Amino acid sequence: MPTSSAPLEIGRVALTVNDIDRTGSFYQSALGLERLGGSGEVATFGAGGRVLLELRADRSARRNTGREAGLFHTAFLMPSRAALGRWLHHAAASRLPLQGASDHIVSEAIYLADPEGNGIEVYVDRPRAAWTDKDGKIRMATDPLDLQNLADAADAAWTGAPEGTVVGHVHLQVGDVPKAEAFYAGTLGFAVTSHYPGAAFYGSGGYHHHLATNVWNSRGAGPRSYPVTGLAELEIRADAAELAALRDRAGGTDTLTDPWGTRICVAGKAA
């Protein structure tokens, strides 16, 4: 896992959904995640025995408008370019409604959404040597992706999300980028790695980004009004030193909320 050596990384993403059966079936069929546990109102999904996604059912929750603070997308990182190529063939054969594809210099990414509008990215990292310029700064862009070249990298048929698939990063909608930086960099301890107009990117251990925040659809958004579909909780995993430092900055708690009320749970990384 390319992110596993970082002091901070993404654990699992929890979503509130109106229809847990339909949404869960989508993540199994579209992304090849395994159902790992849960029953009734909660279900967990992942790859290689690792939980990546938790769905929480709430039929009465109002549907997220898409213009408020919360989730922009959950980004599932494939362990190899061949794996992403296999998934691309699967997406084409399944007629998945893709929403875009981009070459970000640091990665190759394909975008879609689940049945309730939660954004999804499926991507693979380029070698780390390609991420930085001559001054050592991380370079990111949004250029056209050569889908045929990516599809040609497939080495077998798609049989589901392979072991080593992780949530590489999570991109959030916020109301104000400087306020988001104060929380995600200042309190959580991620380094600011890059900026786009209206967005900031945060990483740990030299990774291009574990988190991003933008105001593209949500500029000026106020605190979130619950219950609402979309992001319910984001888990951050920290090594022992980072966990102690983060708890100190957060006043001793492992559960925080960002300035818009998005819940962040901090847990220790597995030994």
Side-chain angles (χ1 to χ4, degrees), residues 93-130:
S94 304
R95 298 183 180 275
L96 287 177
L98 303 181
Q99 297 179 335
S102 296
D103 182 336
H104 292 303
I105 299 177
V106 298
S107 63
E108 297 173 278
I110 300 170
Y111 298 93
L112 66 161
D114 74 16
E116 300 202 0
N118 295 296
I120 297 168
E121 176 182 336
V122 186
Y123 78 110
V124 66
D125 281 329
R126 283 222 168 86
R128 290 192 179 222

Side-chain angles (χ1 to χ4, degrees), residues 6-62:
L8 296 165
E9 65 173 340
I10 304 298
R12 61 175 171 78
V13 174
L15 303 178
T16 297
V17 296
N18 292 145
D19 190 333
I20 193 170
D21 293 331
R22 182 184 180 209
T23 307
S25 294
F26 173 86
Y27 282 97
Q28 289 177 286
S29 62
L31 297 189
L33 299 183
E34 306 171 69
R35 180 161 178 160
L36 298 176
S39 60
E41 302 303 299
V42 177
T44 57
F45 302 84
R50 174 171 174 162
V51 174
L52 306 178
L53 177 72
E54 178 182 310
L55 299 182
R56 301 175 182 178
D58 186 345
R59 291 188 177 276
S60 66
R62 66 177 180 83

Side-chain angles (χ1 to χ4, degrees), residues 68-219:
E68 55 196 282
L71 185 70
F72 187 65
H73 63 238
T74 302
F76 295 90
L77 173 61
M78 293 287 167
S80 68
R81 194 167 190 265
L84 184 58
R86 293 194 297 268
W87 179 81
L88 180 57
H89 281 279
H90 163 71
S94 304
R95 298 183 180 275
L96 287 177
L98 303 181
Q99 297 179 335
S102 296
D103 182 336
H104 292 303
I105 299 177
V106 298
S107 63
E108 297 173 278
I110 300 170
Y111 298 93
L112 66 161
D114 74 16
E116 300 202 0
N118 295 296
I120 297 168
E121 176 182 336
V122 186
Y123 78 110
V124 66
D125 281 329
R126 283 222 168 86
R128 290 192 179 222
W131 297 359
T132 55
D133 61 20
K134 60 183 177 59
D135 297 319
K137 294 181 179 179
I138 289 175
R139 302 177 304 142
M140 295 180 66
T142 301
D143 296 327
L145 180 63
D146 187 338
L147 289 170
Q148 186 58 59
N149 184 270
L150 178 59
D152 289 345
D155 57 355
W158 174 256
T159 57
E163 184 172 359
T165 300
V166 298
V167 178
H169 66 268
V170 174
H171 201 142
L172 301 170
Q173 296 191 165
V174 298
D176 179 81
V177 172
K179 189 181 292 187
E181 285 191 32
F183 177 79
Y184 287 98
T187 300
L188 289 189
F190 286 92
V192 177
T193 58
S194 185
H195 286 101
Y196 274 14
F201 297 79
Y202 317 84
S204 176
Y207 193 60
H208 54 75
H209 70 295
H210 292 94
L211 290 167
T213 55
N214 77 65
V215 295
W216 300 330
N217 300 316
S218 56
R219 187 180 299 274

